[in-house]
Amino acid sequence: MSRRSLLGRTAAVAAGATALTATAGGPAAAATRDVDVAIVGAGLAGLTAARDLVAAGRTVVVLEARDRVGGRVVNLPLANGGVTEGGGEFIGPTQDRIKALADSLGVATFPTYNTGKNLLYKDGKKTPYATDGPLGSVPPVDVAGLANAAIVQSSLDDMAKTVPVDAPWTAAKAEEWDRQTFESWLRANAVVPSAKFLLDVACTSIFSAEPRELSLLFVLFYIAAAGNESTPGTLERLTETANGAQERRFVGGSQLVPVKLAATLGDRVALNAPVRTISRSGGKYVVTADGLTVTAKRVIVAVPPPLAARITYDPLLPADRDQLTQRLPMASVGKAIAIYDTPFWRADGLNGQVVSDTGVISSTFDNSPPDASYGALMGFIEADEARKLDAASEAEVKAAVLKDYVTYFGAKAASPTSFVLQRWNNEAYTRGGPVSIGAPGVLTQYGPALRRPVGGIHWAGTETSVHWMGFMDGAVRSGERVAKEVLAVL
């Protein structure tokens, strides 16, 4: 099974960064501002909400803690002058809103490289396999394992169809499914070891979390959300490259989308302005950030729930909202990209995609640019493996990653021309990724507080989306939804 898209971190593309620097002011541009809506977070959710509010004639300011826009979407500059994505990079079918946004900004897409064979590395054996046969990209494990995995996937899809994407806690079997971990359910249903391997790899690739960390209900909701208003979600759409969530990438890197969107907002975007407090005073809200204080009629908080919890609120948030944020931790993920003179694996008939049962890197992609002017191998470091390396030096991580790349692709992989690493667990204003995850009991007990406004405070971010939660598309959808919500009450 192929991997997942995730939402990422950055240093912007040179042209886009130059444009943003010229138009978006930092906190020093004004010590105080009075606007209709203050927005916390300049990721895709916050910027999309700002765009729609401005289009409706409302005044806004977007407060961003980092020195860049994009949140979990970031371009990493390369020594050869190119860029690669350190966070969210892929889009696919039914991800309509991120595609529409990119189109409106003139950011084109191109197909993820998917020509040639995938690699399965299991039990010390390397097996190339075609992805255009009856099994698609499912790795060729033993027949019993494939049969069992097919039954498990069908069962998950069937259960997911009964989960309302706007209120998964109301599903008929919500209580039963939310009482157990995905791990316990898999142990009872993926009874062939090779089938369990396939589902374990799919889980870490989709969520960057181990099956034991996730509620079964949360997993079923995530599957249900992998579609749009007319197309039900499926597990296959989450895991596939062709016709799946990893189908296409953005020309110039995914961060071009938020960079260009921020440029349209000009000095409404304030960088280097981490928000410390949100308080109610005299019928308005006062949002205090480093170097800048904003008064507003409404506030949109468009950051992950664990980070929203670190803001001080006066009056206090309702207990259920605060308890929710305590129980939605970020998953654990990093991305390692090795750069080569050429994508040499293509000459060997490989597409750069690996599924492995060992090593620091258990899944990889060909991250080369569309013109193949250089080669880029990208690997995800996820869940337990990511946590093991949190305290390791970059040199230690690089050595471990290249060891895996050599195992998969041969001796040429040992000598990249450059190497870049994005470690989301150690990122100050993210602390993990690609998404907040739900353990047993969270959705049924606290789910209703996820999107419910608290007075004049409204919530956005990919975690609040009913479609494509955890993806760039979900972030854009949440921004569009919250803008409508706020406009309806202003």
Side-chain angles (χ1 to χ4, degrees):
M1 296 180 182
S2 55
R3 286 336 25 134
R4 73 152 289 105
S5 96
L6 50 141
L7 290 161
R9 186 268 194 215
T10 176
V13 189
T18 301
L20 181 59
T21 301
T23 56
T32 61
R33 298 195 200 181
D34 183 58
V35 295
D36 293 323
V37 185
I39 300 173
V40 182
L44 284 167
L47 293 172
T48 299
R51 174 203 63 181
D52 291 357
L53 290 166
V54 169
R58 299 297 180 174
T59 56
V60 305
V61 64
V62 184
L63 299 158
E64 169 56 45
R66 296 179 172 93
D67 60 358
R68 62 169 182 84
V69 300
R72 286 168 275 182
V73 180
V74 60
N75 285 351
L76 304 177
L78 301 175
N80 63 11
V83 296
T84 193
E85 297 93 341
E89 65 174 281
F90 300 112
I91 68 168
T94 74
Q95 295 189 5
D96 314 306
R97 302 316 303 154
I98 179 64
K99 182 63 165 58
L101 174 60
D103 287 347
S104 73
L105 296 167
V107 182
T109 65
F110 67 100
T112 302
Y113 190 79
N114 200 35
T115 301
K117 293 183 177 181
N118 282 23
L119 279 178
L120 168 65
Y121 188 83
K122 189 173 185 298
D123 300 326
K125 180 183 178 182
K126 188 163 57 177
T127 305
Y129 63 98
T131 61
D132 55 0
L135 296 178
S137 63
V138 178
V141 296
D142 57 276
V143 173
L146 289 172
N148 187 198
I151 293 171
V152 169
Q153 178 171 319
S154 179
S155 297
L156 289 169
D157 285 344
D158 287 344
M159 290 188 292
K161 289 174 184 175
T162 71
V163 176
V165 291
D166 59 343
W169 46 89
T170 66
K173 293 188 176 181
E175 293 285 347
E176 174 187 337
W177 292 338
D178 208 29
R179 281 197 300 266
Q180 58 186 301
T181 64
F182 188 38
E183 171 71 18
S184 62
W185 187 88
L186 284 178
R187 286 183 179 275
N189 291 275
V191 293
V192 179
S194 56
K196 180 66 162 56
F197 157 72
L198 292 178
L199 273 298
D200 284 348
V201 171
C203 178
T204 54
S205 298
I206 293 168
F207 299 100
S208 297
E210 304 293 339
R212 68 175 184 273
E213 300 179 81
L214 306 170
S215 153
L216 175 60
L217 178 62
F218 179 81
V219 171
L220 295 175
F221 159 64
Y222 212 83
I223 295 171
N228 58 18
E229 291 78 2
S230 60
T231 308
T234 65
L235 179 59
E236 184 179 29
R237 191 173 298 119
L238 282 168
T239 60
E240 290 292 325
T241 300
N243 301 312
Q246 287 69 237
E247 184 175 73
R248 303 186 71 83
R249 297 170 58 204
F250 290 106
V251 177
S254 53
Q255 199 196 0
L256 266 184
V257 178
V259 164
K260 287 194 170 188
L261 180 53
T264 69
L265 296 169
D267 64 4
R268 298 179 185 91
V269 179
L271 303 179
N272 299 302
V275 170
R276 306 301 181 183
T277 63
I278 299 175
S279 59
R280 179 88 170 167
S281 176
K284 283 195 172 187
Y285 285 88
V286 179
V287 181
T288 305
D290 289 2
L292 178 61
T293 299
V294 179
T295 57
K297 299 172 186 175
R298 295 275 161 166
V299 179
I300 295 172
V301 178
V303 298
L307 296 184
R310 297 179 184 183
I311 299 171
T312 298
Y313 299 86
D314 183 16
L316 291 174
L317 294 178
D320 61 348
R321 171 67 199 187
D322 192 78
Q323 293 272 311
L324 172 73
T325 61
Q326 295 178 42
R327 288 164 170 80
L328 283 179
M330 300 297 283
S332 301
V333 69
K335 291 178 78 173
I337 304 99
I339 307 303
Y340 304 90
D341 289 332
T342 64
F344 61 85
W345 49 92
R346 296 184 184 182
D348 296 329
L350 301 175
N351 62 16
Q353 296 175 42
V354 171
V355 175
S356 176
D357 67 349
T358 189
V360 170
I361 301 289
S362 60
S363 61
T364 66
F365 275 93
D366 182 330
N367 251 37
S368 308
D371 63 1
S373 55
Y374 58 88
L377 275 177
M378 183 272 287
F380 289 113
I381 309 173
E382 299 179 293
D384 284 351
E385 293 301 327
R387 289 186 282 267
K388 289 176 185 176
L389 293 172
D390 281 343
S393 69
E394 183 165 336
E396 290 170 327
V397 176
K398 178 181 178 180
V401 169
L402 292 183
K403 179 181 178 182
D404 289 344
Y405 288 177
V406 169
T407 297
Y408 307 146
F409 298 105
K412 290 181 181 178
S415 304
T417 58
S418 61
F419 182 89
V420 291
L421 181 65
Q422 177 61 39
R423 306 164 80 175
W424 289 102
N425 292 12
N426 295 337
E427 179 80 10
Y429 294 108
T430 309
R431 301 316 303 264
V435 67
S436 295
I437 55 175
V442 174
L443 285 180
T444 49
Q445 292 300 309
Y446 304 101
L450 187 59
R451 286 182 296 276
R452 187 176 63 223
V454 175
I457 302 174
H458 302 255
W459 311 103
T462 190
E463 284 83 3
T464 70
S465 184
V466 301
H467 293 293
W468 288 110
M469 173 191 177
F471 291 75
M472 292 183 287
D473 190 71
V476 174
R477 288 174 184 270
S478 78
E480 293 174 337
R481 184 264 307 162
V482 82
K484 292 175 182 176
E485 185 178 285
V486 170
L487 287 171
V489 294
L490 278 177

